Amino acid sequence: MRLVHQASPWRSLFHEDGTLNASALNAPLDHLFSKLFSTFPSPQTSLADVYAWQLPLVETLVHYDLPAWRISQIISDHNALLYRQAIAQSLDEMQAQGWGAPPVDYCILLLGSAARFESLLGPDQDNALIIDDYPDHRHVEIDGYFQALGERFTQRLDEAGIPLCNGHVMARWPMWRKRLSEWHAQLDIWSADRRVKRVQQTNILLDFAPIAGNPALAKQLGESIASTLPKAPLFMDEMAALLDELPVALDRFGRLASSPGLDAPHEQALNLKHQGLLPLISAARLLCLRYGLRDIPTRERLIALSHATDALTSAESALLVAAFERLQQRLLDQQRYNKARGQAADGWVDLRRLREDERLLLKFDLQQIKRLSASAQSSV
């Protein structure tokens, strides 16, 4: 669906006689809702149709002049809705096939950008599953139930348009589906030394949000993380060292430059996700873990680091929040541009599309992120 270009709805708030023109303000949303939500969430509306509605929703929100960081929250909420529908449909199907109700309490987690409510266009799946503790002799029965649930809801999401994770970070796999006590033990194993793979896996788990089931299990996992990881010096050292694997897109002269080996689509392409957003997100995550802060979204982490710790001044926090918002805006703008031309919504931006002032501002933002990364490493 392509929306007809209209003037900004904010310029249509009032009639000439001064009365409120609510219909003009609501017209873009009414037009969008009439296409799908007149029937949603009826059984006739497929998850694929609901997901396909997301891009027109984003274009409508852009029409309302919402910033990208707000739009990313709404995209994340919409994806969470898809998750809940896929899980509910899978549970209903299992009930109809004789599996019965879930045998014990459970909690399905969103991971990564979805958990931080920072999803843009074209995400894949990152999820996990906490199962309440049960006796070992019931493992085949209970784990078999939740394996079937994990396979079904992730398959439904894949068919709807949110692809399976290439790195297998999904509840359908034993690594990301465990009893609560096993998650506690896993954290002890992952944090016992400074093995790169273990720290990388823990980094994935650190950004989580409950999406279905009993959220008390997620709260207990969070308490286990807070009590275990900051007290593991080798783990924290390796977590800091891994920031070197996420260099910002600046060369040694401070100029914008994409790192070699990133398979750039052309010479003027820059991977803003891997060389801008991820260094910022990772540094903020490390600092929050170091100072015992429980915040998950990046904006909230950056603000909390200035309010509750001495890691950032209020001025530094403000600069980094602004940088985060601008990077999300650059990436969403590029993804919308790509989608309009039938191309993938990925993490690359085309520097040829940026004005000179935009390039200078991007360089400034990356300089702030580079300083934050260095500060995070020195804090451990």
Side-chain angles (χ1 to χ4, degrees):
M1 182 185 73
R2 296 181 67 85
L3 296 174
V4 177
H5 177 73
Q6 301 169 348
S8 171
W10 308 112
R11 300 299 302 277
S12 306
L13 266 174
F14 300 100
H15 293 291
E16 291 185 2
D17 61 4
T19 57
L20 183 66
N21 185 8
S23 61
L25 180 66
N26 295 333
L29 284 174
D30 289 342
H31 175 69
L32 182 66
F33 290 155
S34 68
K35 295 295 183 181
L36 180 65
F37 268 41
S38 58
T39 58
F40 183 77
S42 75
Q44 290 73 35
T45 307
S46 70
L47 288 178
D49 287 338
V50 179
Y51 184 62
W53 183 79
Q54 189 172 103
L55 183 57
L57 170 63
V58 169
E59 294 300 330
T60 299
L61 297 175
V62 170
H63 181 66
Y64 279 91
D65 303 320
L66 264 68
W69 69 271
R70 284 290 191 198
I71 294 176
S72 74
Q73 292 176 333
I74 297 172
I75 292 173
S76 300
D77 289 341
H78 186 239
N79 288 339
L81 171 68
L82 289 162
Y83 261 85
R84 293 189 184 99
Q85 289 294 314
I87 293 165
Q89 290 175 11
S90 299
L91 287 169
D92 288 345
E93 181 181 75
M94 292 177 68
Q95 184 92 343
Q97 292 176 352
W99 288 79
V104 294
D105 259 359
Y106 69 97
C107 184
I108 297 174
L109 305 176
L110 296 174
L111 303 177
S113 61
R116 297 189 303 270
F117 299 95
E118 295 166 6
S119 295
L120 295 174
L121 299 175
D124 63 359
Q125 296 184 46
D126 289 303
N127 51 75
L129 203 158
I130 308 171
I131 307 170
D132 203 3
D133 286 327
Y134 57 82
D136 289 344
H137 71 269
R138 297 189 64 192
H139 178 74
V140 172
E141 167 206 351
I142 295 178
D143 187 67
Y145 182 98
F146 288 108
Q147 178 182 348
L149 175 60
E151 290 174 350
R152 290 171 192 237
F153 85 76
T154 55
Q155 185 62 35
R156 278 184 160 85
L157 290 170
D158 180 64
E159 293 169 356
I162 303 179
L164 300 172
C165 174
N166 289 330
H168 306 299
V169 182
M170 293 175 292
R172 58 166 51 203
W173 300 108
M175 173 64 76
W176 300 99
R177 183 186 70 250
K178 301 180 189 297
R179 284 177 279 188
L180 181 61
S181 59
E182 291 172 329
W183 277 116
H184 296 327
Q186 187 72 74
L187 285 168
D188 287 337
I189 293 170
W190 281 348
S191 62
D193 52 31
R194 51 182 306 163
R195 295 190 190 180
V196 172
K197 185 64 175 177
R198 291 178 176 178
V199 178
Q200 290 172 332
Q201 289 168 329
T202 311
N203 269 333
I204 295 171
L205 183 64
L206 287 177
D207 294 350
F208 71 88
I211 189 64
N214 185 355
L217 296 173
K219 183 178 179 182
Q220 292 180 65
L221 177 63
E223 291 169 353
S224 183
I225 289 171
S227 64
T228 302
L229 299 187
K231 300 174 184 176
L234 293 177
F235 172 88
M236 295 294 290
D237 283 346
E238 186 60 30
M239 190 174 175
L242 279 177
L243 290 177
D244 290 333
E245 305 296 319
L246 293 169
V248 298
L250 296 172
D251 64 16
R252 62 194 182 95
F253 300 108
R255 298 171 302 195
L256 294 175
S258 186
S259 291
L262 290 181
D263 300 321
H266 53 78
E267 288 186 1
Q268 290 296 308
L270 185 149
N271 196 315
L272 197 58
K273 176 180 177 180
H274 287 282
Q275 296 184 266
L277 279 173
L278 285 184
L280 172 57
I281 291 165
S282 299
R285 180 194 299 124
L286 173 59
L287 282 168
C288 282
L289 185 63
R290 159 73 175 78
Y291 285 94
L293 302 179
R294 300 288 190 90
D295 304 87
I296 299 295
T298 303
R299 291 183 81 259
E300 293 179 13
R301 281 172 166 165
L302 293 171
I303 293 169
L305 285 167
S306 68
H307 288 177
T309 77
D310 59 359
L312 294 176
T313 67
S314 58
E316 290 169 336
S317 172
L319 283 175
L320 288 163
V321 168
F324 173 72
E325 293 175 0
R326 283 192 288 263
L327 262 58
Q328 280 199 309
Q329 190 70 58
R330 295 265 180 269
L331 195 50
L332 181 61
D333 290 346
Q334 182 70 56
Q335 289 182 343
R336 292 174 52 235
Y337 180 88
N338 291 357
K339 283 284 192 179
R341 286 152 182 79
Q343 301 168 0
D346 52 27
W348 295 92
V349 295
D350 187 349
L351 294 178
R352 296 172 300 189
R353 298 187 61 242
L354 300 185
R355 301 188 308 265
E356 182 61 26
D357 62 314
E358 292 173 328
R359 286 178 177 239
L360 290 172
L361 195 51
L362 176 56
K363 183 170 70 171
F364 175 80
D365 290 339
L366 293 176
Q367 289 169 342
Q368 310 314 305
I369 296 169
K370 188 173 182 178
R371 292 192 186 99
L372 176 68
S373 184
S375 175
Q377 287 183 307
S378 65
S379 73
V380 174

